[in-house]
Amino acid sequence: MAKASVVVPEQVGAAAAAQVGCPCPGTTLFPYPPPRAGIAVRRKCLQAAQQLELGAGLRGGWVESMRASSPTHAKAAAALAAGVDEEHAAWMARHPSALGEFEKVVAASKGKQIVMFLDYDGTLSPIVDDPDAAFMSETVSLSSPPLSPTLLLHSSSSRTPLLPHQMRMAVRSVAKHFPTAIVSGRCRDKVFEFVKLAELYYAGSHGMDIKGPASRHAAAKSPPHNKGVLFQPASEFLPMIEQVHDRLEQATRSIPGAKVENNKFCVSVHFRCVDEKSWGALAETVRRVVREFPRLRLSQGRMVFEVRPTIKWDKGKALEFLLDSLGFADCSDVLPVYIGDDRTDEDAFKVLRRRGQGVGILVSKHPKETSASFSLQEPAEVMEFLLRLVEWNRLSRTRLRL
């Protein structure tokens, strides 16, 4: 297939993606068609794998894993203070900074349409003790005019703490140039309340709850059948998710600091505020409850246990579905860029590696196993990367017009 250059129009958000499309012959852009057979939802019972995963907790594997998932754990901080510079340098050589290698990243997009995928917690918002307080911003209304990306870039480069509304304005600016999706383990409605940008695609519950742009501006540019159409491959599990949520809330009441969150198609048990001495008891409690539900599986993320349906669907499948929906299925003239910080984002990084196409960026200050190609240390660097991408795209369009 011959590759053609893609000139990104002035207004190319998620809602305007229909104006861009894929230059591949025969490709028509209709967001949210039924999924292709190749990525059809396969409802397999993973009970055997689940029991193997849960059994690891009996050998203390869960507690060690919980320690590893804590970015501020005392032992991790002590190890860094003692000096693991050599290990960190080796890891950075394998996963260099996306800011330091920015020219290499954008060079890969030559003649291709960039599509942005962003995790939320730990990527657009810092990890906080109270999951309900993980606000990206609290001061900007939807009607607020975007700030200049150049001004935002200047302020972000100073390495001062993020000011209110800056990250939201950065994401809004990116969405004006590239189709953009938020892919999170949180409930989709809750993520929208945090982000408050109607022009984006939202994939909540680890991609099991997907919805397109819903703003008037977006709806005006969308095909008639795409008025924020939903895709929910795990709908049949909703009653079971409610049951396990109630059971976990009841079972963990005696463990101070434990917080159970209903994310619609999955349940999260946060242990950010649980004393480390109680981690073993919490892991055993969660494990015992989940064993009552053989069609649900237990996994672990960053300071959180996740209980999900046993369907073969994750953030990687959501990425493929969204690319398909945007008209980029089996197309070489697209560059997906996925930025995330959690273990669940590894599913998306692996998809990009398998496709041999795209840029995976892990957000982490500490070395960890990952399938991502590049790294960023914290949300402030994510914002700087997004703004540099917007400024690079603006300058590229200016050069093309000259």
Side-chain angles (χ1 to χ4, degrees):
M1 183 191 309
K3 294 184 179 180
S5 296
V6 177
V7 180
V8 183
E10 190 71 29
Q11 296 290 329
V12 181
Q19 313 282 312
V20 183
C22 173
C24 300
T27 298
T28 305
L29 183 62
F30 294 117
Y32 294 107
R36 293 177 297 138
I39 60 170
V41 182
R42 286 170 283 183
R43 290 176 169 83
K44 287 187 176 181
C45 179
L46 303 179
Q47 184 174 3
Q50 176 203 24
Q51 296 307 322
L52 178 64
E53 204 171 21
L54 295 178
L58 293 175
R59 300 186 297 273
W62 276 118
V63 174
E64 288 305 315
S65 183
M66 291 165 82
R67 290 194 183 104
S69 75
S70 173
T72 58
H73 187 262
K75 289 185 178 179
L80 286 174
V84 287
D85 293 342
E86 190 172 324
E87 178 187 351
H88 189 265
W91 187 82
M92 287 299 297
R94 296 192 302 272
H95 310 286
S97 167
L99 290 173
E101 298 291 337
F102 183 78
E103 293 303 323
K104 184 181 293 186
V105 173
V106 295
S109 70
K110 185 176 181 181
K112 300 179 181 181
Q113 171 64 52
I114 293 175
V115 181
M116 292 297 307
F117 297 89
L118 302 165
D119 182 27
Y120 184 75
D121 291 276
T123 299
L124 300 181
S125 169
I127 296 293
V128 294
D129 288 341
D130 181 2
D132 291 332
F135 297 104
M136 185 169 67
S137 168
E138 300 177 356
T139 61
V140 178
S141 67
L142 288 174
S143 60
S144 300
L147 298 182
S148 163
T150 304
L151 290 175
L152 280 174
L153 181 58
H154 176 73
S155 63
S156 69
S157 300
S158 65
R159 287 287 186 261
T160 55
L162 291 182
L163 296 176
H165 75 258
Q166 285 186 328
M167 180 64 89
R168 179 175 289 134
M169 291 298 96
V171 175
R172 174 181 276 178
S173 295
V174 165
K176 283 179 174 288
H177 295 264
F178 315 110
T180 301
I182 306 292
V183 186
S184 172
R186 298 287 199 118
C187 169
R188 174 174 54 79
D189 291 339
K190 183 172 289 186
V191 175
F192 180 80
E193 286 304 308
F194 285 148
V195 179
K196 295 184 183 295
L197 293 175
E199 59 266 38
L200 308 183
Y201 292 86
Y202 289 88
S205 302
H206 301 287
M208 288 182 283
D209 189 6
I210 303 176
K211 190 174 184 180
S215 67
R216 293 180 183 176
H217 175 72
K221 293 192 174 186
S222 298
H225 63 280
N226 179 41
K227 302 302 182 184
V229 179
L230 291 168
F231 180 62
Q232 298 175 332
S235 296
E236 67 181 89
F237 288 88
L238 282 174
M240 193 179 301
I241 292 295
E242 290 285 348
Q243 291 175 28
V244 76
H245 170 262
D246 293 344
R247 284 283 293 111
L248 285 168
E249 269 203 330
Q250 182 180 15
T252 60
R253 280 176 186 165
S254 61
I255 302 177
K259 182 177 179 62
V260 181
E261 182 180 17
N262 188 335
N263 285 313
K264 191 169 183 176
F265 292 99
C266 62
V267 176
S268 301
V269 182
H270 301 275
F271 55 90
R272 301 172 189 179
C273 297
V274 176
D275 189 289
E276 186 176 343
K277 294 177 181 178
S278 300
W279 284 2
L282 177 64
E284 176 60 26
T285 299
V286 174
R287 173 183 155 280
R288 185 175 62 251
V289 170
V290 177
R291 289 182 70 178
E292 300 172 13
F293 299 86
R295 296 188 68 200
L296 300 179
R297 62 189 175 99
L298 176 64
S299 61
Q300 189 191 327
R302 191 171 175 183
M303 299 295 286
V304 64
F305 289 120
E306 302 278 7
V307 182
R308 291 188 268 170
T310 55
I311 64 170
K312 196 167 183 179
W313 195 266
D314 50 40
K315 289 185 177 182
K317 293 291 185 182
L319 181 151
E320 290 183 303
F321 179 81
L322 283 165
L323 287 175
D324 190 5
S325 301
L326 287 165
F328 296 117
D330 303 319
C331 179
S332 62
D333 293 309
V334 61
L335 186 76
V337 177
Y338 190 105
I339 307 178
D341 76 306
D342 206 351
R343 292 181 183 182
T344 56
D345 298 308
E346 292 297 325
D347 294 317
F349 296 149
K350 289 172 183 175
V351 164
L352 296 182
R353 281 198 177 272
R354 189 180 72 241
R355 292 169 64 101
Q357 173 187 39
V359 176
I361 303 174
L362 175 70
V363 183
S364 177
K365 290 184 176 181
H366 312 303
K368 60 174 70 173
E369 288 297 320
T370 181
S371 293
S373 301
F374 299 94
S375 64
L376 292 168
Q377 290 198 19
E378 57 190 351
E381 287 198 353
V382 173
M383 189 180 82
E384 183 174 347
F385 176 83
L386 297 179
L387 293 171
R388 286 185 66 178
L389 198 60
V390 169
E391 185 66 8
W392 165 82
N393 191 62
R394 185 187 66 80
L395 292 174
S396 297
R397 293 201 318 270
T398 300
R399 293 191 195 101
L400 286 172
R401 288 196 294 262
L402 294 178

